[in-house]
Amino acid sequence: MSNSKNNEAGYYILEPNLLPAYLSTIPNISDHIGNCDDLSITEIGDGNLNYVYKVSSRTDDAKSIIVKQAVPYLRMAGEAWPLGRERMLYEIRALSAHNDLVPQFVPTVIHADEAMSTVVMQCLNEHIILRSGMIEGVEYPNVGSHIGHFLADTLFKTSALSMDSAKRREMMHRFTLNTELCKLTEDFIFKFPFQPHESNYSNPATDRWVEENIHTDERYKTDVLHFKQLFISKAEALLHGDLHSGSVMVNEHETFVIDPEFAFFGPISFDVGKIISNFILCCTAHCERNGGKHYQDWILSQIPVIWNTFESRFLELWSEKTDDSTLSEKSLLSDKGLGDFRTRFLIETLQDAIGFAACSMARRTIGIAGVADIRDIEDVAIRSKLEIANLKLSKHLMQSRSEITDIDALSRTLLDFYSENSLWGKRV
Amino acid sequence: MSNSKNNEAGYYILEPNLLPAYLSTIPNISDHIGNCDDLSITEIGDGNLNYVYKVSSRTDDAKSIIVKQAVPYLRMAGEAWPLGRERMLYEIRALSAHNDLVPQFVPTVIHADEAMSTVVMQCLNEHIILRSGMIEGVEYPNVGSHIGHFLADTLFKTSALSMDSAKRREMMHRFTLNTELCKLTEDFIFKFPFQPHESNYSNPATDRWVEENIHTDERYKTDVLHFKQLFISKAEALLHGDLHSGSVMVNEHETFVIDPEFAFFGPISFDVGKIISNFILCCTAHCERNGGKHYQDWILSQIPVIWNTFESRFLELWSEKTDDSTLSEKSLLSDKGLGDFRTRFLIETLQDAIGFAACSMARRTIGIAGVADIRDIEDVAIRSKLEIANLKLSKHLMQSRSEITDIDALSRTLLDFYSENSLWGKRV
């Protein structure tokens, strides 16, 4: 780790030996980690962008916190790939917003330091990354409903359905300049995977299929461009912005959503579609993984749980609104008229979520950042079979999305696809 | 005029007697108005929000400028109605952007002073307000094509079709906090006119029709709400934000667009629809005004001129783009695929423009700020006939917009409506 970028006012890189002194300046930090002179410090890393440390009391491991700092380059690539540490500004702001909106689903922020691009937060000692758990075939009884609840509360409450006009624009203003990470999404989700690009993943059999069935499919690519346009211009609510199964930590009882550094005002359907796509990708993986059909059935059962919880909670929040928000027009429409507007709103959200899920599935298959669910399968032929299945399903969902008007229709579409393409695993 | 709000740092109200000293501090101002000791100062006012002065050399009236200053209250209502003078910040920023993008269609900015909420600009001595000219029945040979050209250049060049991702978000960030004026639009265009509201205009015969045909029409009001949602959440390009025929100054040769204080990032179709609605409202007025069918025909001929110029110029700019912008995906799609995407984009823009025009027509009929084209007609019965005609046409356009897929279809719809409802004036 280098100190060469330490020269900006009020910022220095928190080498492990500097952590105790830094932490000791935080009021009441001893409540969380005891004596700052007696700490155990472990770098755990989030792998890609930042430095992440677990800091614990040497005498009581239950007393632990997480320290996360952004450095002005891409952590996985080193200083040769500069990346503004402003991203931490947006993570801090989104985490604070989520702490206000859904404290039960996000780590508690103990200390946020914009100048140092650092956040100190609750350590989730008893939870694991959802992706890892799902690769192992673990069924989490609450995860679907928790995710649906998280989506509804964070998205409804930061939309014009809930916020008044000025407050919403002021909040939007605090996220509009998250330009670098928005640009990453624009390129790595909506562009590079759909054309020959040096950053793309390569697996010969998959590559051939992609050349013949993705690069040549103008209709599909035009649909992708439509969703890029939505991503760019539909400033609907404060999104998490990167809600995949690696951004969720779980155990049997609890669910936490972490890493909202991609947060900005975008389409509600983007967050919804992205997390659903991660469930689908894992479902395909278990055709060949140990979970088999039994676990695939569980995953597919969770997608309607996510949606139905999201929908019912969203409608509950909507019906509770009085007329002080920008779009909850109780004085304008009758109950019937409002009901129709709500129905239309949610059908459009579902259909757009399916489109975004389709984009995400292709990106996670062809693009640079594949999902471990599939990429960690060593047998190239098996991997390619699953990759092509996910790409076929992406195309199928993109094309049929406008006929899917409720979540049961999505479930049937998925079930039929797995059956027709013999994608059920052995364990039943 | 009071000085009571003069106490903010760097800001004071420019009483006429203070203008010469203020102007003399501007570099090279004598090029525009000669000697600052020998000025003629006339308050011309824009009627509603601000103070506007024409300042001329006493010895050479051709040497004139306009000084426009926002005061921290609504000019027409006085200090009892506070309104942030921040609005001038956005007018200055939008005028500067328009000076860069389409200098031929906007007054030249001579001096912009954000602290003083003041802009000094070219005086349009030889031009009149388009609305006044059209009420008189004057045909301006270039106005339609100029407006189309203005729309295409300002909207395309500030959209993701033209700007790169970061630059676009940075520009958006400079307009996101134009909260007060956005809120005025949300309420006065998309809400109050469609429900009983103290701010609404009243004319007994019209009021009865509105009660029976607007307040009870849930479908129409739900459509209005849909367009409010679009206005709020579709951050597509830098809009003028208030492009009616009172924001356009013309003569036989030239066209200038003024007063962009409502500027913000919104849907392209809003600007397009708003100006079209003003042409339609005036067309209806001339059923009873002196222009008669002859002038109505001219107005209706200008709507396709506006659209066709907008469309062809927009497509020209689009085809000139290399692949450095966010949505001009030359490397992603074939010419055929790109063509389909462009066609879809423009049809959606036209249909949404028709929906926004429908909202605007109702607002300008029922809401507080009616158009002089109709409101200045003294005979209550005649006025009511025209008001109801415009409301019927608003409902008709709203309902039929999804079947209108090109500008000729819009022209036919309008012609049929005027014929079927006997709305042609006498002079042919």
Side-chain angles (χ1 to χ4, degrees):
Chain A
M1 206 190 300
S2 155
N3 281 313
S4 67
K5 304 274 179 157
N6 271 357
N7 50 358
E8 288 171 71
Y11 177 79
Y12 56 91
I13 290 177
L14 283 169
E15 309 279 357
N17 63 315
L18 301 175
L19 271 170
Y22 176 77
L23 292 171
S24 69
T25 65
I26 300 171
N28 304 322
I29 192 71
S30 59
D31 295 352
H32 302 281
I33 49 172
N35 188 335
C36 284
D37 296 331
D38 196 21
L39 298 175
S40 157
I41 297 172
T42 319
E43 187 183 347
I44 53 177
D46 64 349
N48 292 327
L49 271 61
N50 306 296
Y51 286 95
V52 183
Y53 297 97
K54 178 181 166 184
V55 179
S56 315
S57 162
R58 269 192 214 281
T59 54
D60 180 2
D61 190 60
K63 289 199 160 176
S64 297
I65 56 172
I66 294 294
V67 180
K68 181 171 179 181
Q69 184 180 41
V71 289
Y73 47 84
L74 193 65
R75 187 211 181 293
M76 67 190 294
E79 292 186 45
W81 193 318
L83 188 70
R85 59 186 175 80
E86 294 75 28
R87 63 187 184 273
M88 183 55 74
L89 199 64
Y90 303 104
E91 176 157 356
I92 286 172
R93 291 177 181 178
L95 265 179
S96 303
H98 291 167
N99 264 264
D100 289 343
L101 298 171
V102 283
Q104 71 274 38
F105 297 130
V106 291
T108 307
V109 173
I110 296 164
H111 179 70
D113 186 341
E114 293 192 355
M116 281 287 284
S117 303
T118 295
V119 63
V120 179
M121 58 190 154
Q122 175 187 6
C123 180
L124 301 169
N125 259 329
E126 295 163 1
H127 308 76
I128 70 163
I129 292 286
L130 175 61
R131 186 183 309 287
S132 310
M134 286 180 69
I135 286 174
E136 294 305 316
V138 182
E139 296 177 20
Y140 297 99
N142 301 317
V143 72
S145 66
H146 284 167
I147 288 171
H149 195 149
F150 171 86
L151 288 166
D153 280 52
T154 57
L155 298 172
F156 181 87
K157 291 176 179 175
T158 59
S159 77
L161 296 168
S162 173
M163 298 188 85
D164 90 15
S165 177
K167 288 207 182 90
R168 196 183 68 94
R169 287 186 199 278
E170 281 154 20
M171 189 176 204
M172 195 188 301
H173 189 250
R174 289 169 58 75
F175 290 93
T176 309
L177 289 184
N178 197 2
T179 49
E180 276 192 304
L181 297 201
C182 284
K183 171 80 171 145
L184 287 182
T185 301
E186 288 162 19
D187 288 342
F188 286 96
I189 297 192
F190 296 109
K191 184 168 184 178
F192 299 154
F194 305 97
Q195 62 190 175
H197 194 272
E198 55 183 10
S199 72
N200 286 342
Y201 160 85
S202 177
N203 179 351
T206 307
D207 293 352
R208 275 194 301 281
W209 197 92
V210 167
E211 270 170 47
E212 287 164 16
N213 297 280
I214 299 281
H215 294 169
T216 59
D217 188 338
E218 294 286 324
R219 178 170 167 182
Y220 175 70
K221 289 192 294 178
T222 308
D223 284 336
V224 170
L225 190 53
H226 166 77
F227 281 99
K228 183 176 184 183
Q229 189 188 358
L230 264 193
F231 175 83
I232 286 171
S233 59
K234 190 168 187 176
E236 193 172 31
L238 177 64
L239 306 190
H240 178 282
D242 193 28
L243 192 59
H244 57 79
S245 48
S247 298
V248 179
M249 295 194 71
V250 283
N251 63 25
E252 199 187 344
H253 307 293
E254 293 178 310
T255 307
F256 287 87
V257 174
I258 60 171
D259 291 350
E261 61 214 290
F262 282 79
F264 80 113
F265 269 70
I268 287 175
S269 48
F270 182 74
D271 271 3
V272 177
K274 198 164 190 184
I275 191 65
I276 287 177
S277 75
N278 275 260
F279 275 68
I280 297 173
L281 290 164
C282 189
C283 180
T284 305
H286 277 286
C287 166
E288 296 290 342
R289 286 188 176 274
N290 289 334
K293 182 165 192 305
H294 174 81
Y295 194 60
Q296 290 176 297
D297 284 339
W298 179 80
I299 294 179
L300 291 182
S301 77
Q302 290 307 294
I303 294 172
V305 171
I306 292 173
W307 176 264
N308 288 327
T309 310
F310 164 75
E311 183 179 62
S312 62
R313 176 74 184 147
F314 199 91
L315 287 171
E316 182 188 342
L317 292 168
W318 200 338
S319 70
E320 284 168 4
K321 279 306 293 180
T322 53
D323 197 25
D324 58 345
S325 63
T326 316
L327 268 179
S328 298
E329 301 290 6
K330 291 209 171 173
S331 66
L332 184 66
L333 294 175
S334 69
D335 289 350
K336 166 78 171 64
L338 262 182
D340 291 347
F341 183 71
R342 287 171 182 165
T343 302
R344 234 199 262 180
F345 186 99
L346 283 158
I347 289 175
E348 191 179 306
T349 301
L350 177 63
Q351 292 176 336
D352 286 349
I354 294 168
F356 279 123
C359 297
S360 168
M361 288 172 66
R363 169 271 177 123
R364 289 293 198 173
T365 304
I366 316 170
I368 188 172
V371 287
D373 317 48
I374 306 283
R375 290 266 167 103
D376 287 358
I377 293 172
E378 286 188 14
D379 185 306
V380 174
I382 291 178
R383 204 162 70 226
S384 188
K385 168 191 153 186
L386 300 179
E387 286 161 354
I388 291 170
N390 279 328
L391 293 170
K392 280 171 90 167
L393 182 49
S394 166
K395 291 182 61 163
H396 182 55
L397 290 174
M398 187 66 96
Q399 192 160 2
S400 48
R401 71 186 192 281
S402 59
E403 291 136 39
I404 298 175
T405 55
D406 61 38
I407 192 65
D408 292 340
L410 175 60
S411 290
R412 281 194 303 275
T413 303
L414 293 171
L415 284 168
D416 290 350
F417 181 86
Y418 283 104
S419 294
E420 285 160 16
N421 290 275
S422 306
L423 288 167
W424 297 119
K426 291 195 188 81
R427 185 180 151 215
V428 290
Chain B
M1 206 189 301
S2 156
N3 281 310
S4 67
K5 303 274 179 160
N6 271 356
N7 50 358
E8 288 171 71
Y11 177 79
Y12 57 92
I13 290 178
L14 282 168
E15 309 279 357
N17 63 314
L18 301 175
L19 270 170
Y22 176 78
L23 291 171
S24 69
T25 64
I26 300 173
N28 303 323
I29 193 69
S30 60
D31 295 354
H32 302 280
I33 49 172
N35 189 336
C36 284
D37 297 331
D38 196 22
L39 298 176
S40 156
I41 298 172
T42 318
E43 188 183 345
I44 52 177
D46 64 351
N48 292 328
L49 272 60
N50 307 296
Y51 285 94
V52 183
Y53 296 98
K54 178 180 167 185
V55 179
S56 314
S57 162
R58 270 192 211 280
T59 54
D60 180 3
D61 190 59
K63 289 199 162 177
S64 297
I65 56 172
I66 294 294
V67 181
K68 181 171 180 181
Q69 183 179 43
V71 288
Y73 48 85
L74 194 65
R75 187 209 181 293
M76 68 190 293
E79 293 186 43
W81 193 318
L83 188 71
R85 59 184 175 81
E86 295 74 30
R87 62 187 185 274
M88 183 54 75
L89 197 65
Y90 303 104
E91 175 157 357
I92 288 172
R93 290 176 182 179
L95 265 179
S96 304
H98 291 167
N99 264 265
D100 289 343
L101 297 171
V102 284
Q104 71 275 39
F105 297 129
V106 291
T108 307
V109 174
I110 295 165
H111 179 70
D113 186 340
E114 293 192 357
M116 282 288 282
S117 305
T118 294
V119 63
V120 179
M121 57 191 154
Q122 175 186 5
C123 179
L124 301 171
N125 260 328
E126 297 163 359
H127 308 77
I128 69 161
I129 292 287
L130 176 61
R131 187 183 308 287
S132 310
M134 286 180 70
I135 286 174
E136 294 305 315
V138 182
E139 297 178 17
Y140 297 98
N142 301 316
V143 71
S145 65
H146 284 168
I147 289 172
H149 194 149
F150 171 85
L151 288 167
D153 279 53
T154 56
L155 298 172
F156 181 87
K157 290 177 179 175
T158 59
S159 76
L161 297 168
S162 173
M163 299 188 84
D164 91 15
S165 177
K167 289 206 182 89
R168 195 182 69 93
R169 287 185 198 278
E170 281 155 21
M171 188 175 205
M172 196 189 302
H173 189 249
R174 290 170 56 76
F175 290 92
T176 308
L177 289 184
N178 197 2
T179 50
E180 276 191 304
L181 296 201
C182 284
K183 170 79 171 145
L184 287 182
T185 301
E186 288 161 18
D187 287 341
F188 286 94
I189 297 192
F190 297 109
K191 185 171 182 176
F192 299 154
F194 305 97
Q195 62 192 176
H197 195 271
E198 57 183 9
S199 71
N200 287 341
Y201 160 85
S202 177
N203 180 351
T206 307
D207 293 352
R208 276 194 301 281
W209 197 92
V210 167
E211 269 169 48
E212 286 163 17
N213 297 280
I214 299 280
H215 293 168
T216 59
D217 189 339
E218 295 287 323
R219 179 171 166 182
Y220 175 70
K221 289 192 294 180
T222 309
D223 284 337
V224 170
L225 191 52
H226 166 76
F227 282 99
K228 184 176 184 183
Q229 188 187 359
L230 263 192
F231 175 83
I232 286 171
S233 60
K234 190 166 185 176
E236 193 172 32
L238 177 64
L239 305 191
H240 178 282
D242 193 28
L243 192 60
H244 56 79
S245 49
S247 298
V248 179
M249 296 193 71
V250 284
N251 64 24
E252 199 187 345
H253 307 292
E254 292 177 310
T255 307
F256 287 87
V257 175
I258 60 171
D259 292 349
E261 61 215 290
F262 282 79
F264 81 112
F265 269 70
I268 286 174
S269 47
F270 182 75
D271 271 2
V272 178
K274 199 163 188 182
I275 191 65
I276 286 176
S277 76
N278 274 262
F279 276 67
I280 297 173
L281 290 164
C282 189
C283 179
T284 305
H286 277 285
C287 166
E288 296 291 342
R289 286 187 175 275
N290 289 334
K293 182 164 193 306
H294 175 81
Y295 194 60
Q296 290 177 297
D297 284 340
W298 179 79
I299 295 179
L300 291 182
S301 77
Q302 290 307 296
I303 294 173
V305 172
I306 293 173
W307 176 264
N308 288 327
T309 310
F310 165 75
E311 183 179 63
S312 62
R313 177 73 183 147
F314 199 90
L315 287 171
E316 182 188 344
L317 291 168
W318 201 337
S319 70
E320 283 169 2
K321 281 303 296 179
T322 52
D323 197 24
D324 59 346
S325 62
T326 316
L327 268 179
S328 297
E329 300 290 4
K330 293 212 171 171
S331 66
L332 184 66
L333 294 174
S334 70
D335 288 349
K336 168 80 170 65
L338 261 182
D340 291 347
F341 183 71
R342 287 171 183 165
T343 302
R344 236 201 261 179
F345 185 98
L346 283 158
I347 289 175
E348 192 179 305
T349 300
L350 176 62
Q351 292 176 336
D352 286 348
I354 294 168
F356 279 124
C359 297
S360 169
M361 288 172 66
R363 171 269 177 127
R364 288 293 197 174
T365 304
I366 317 171
I368 188 170
V371 287
D373 318 46
I374 306 283
R375 290 264 168 105
D376 286 359
I377 292 173
E378 287 187 14
D379 186 307
V380 174
I382 291 179
R383 202 162 72 226
S384 188
K385 168 191 156 186
L386 300 179
E387 286 160 353
I388 292 170
N390 278 329
L391 293 170
K392 279 172 92 168
L393 182 49
S394 166
K395 290 183 61 163
H396 181 54
L397 289 173
M398 188 65 97
Q399 191 159 3
S400 48
R401 71 186 193 280
S402 59
E403 290 136 40
I404 299 175
T405 56
D406 60 39
I407 192 66
D408 292 341
L410 175 60
S411 290
R412 280 195 304 276
T413 302
L414 293 171
L415 284 168
D416 290 351
F417 181 85
Y418 283 104
S419 295
E420 285 161 18
N421 290 276
S422 307
L423 288 166
W424 297 119
K426 292 195 186 82
R427 186 180 151 215
V428 290

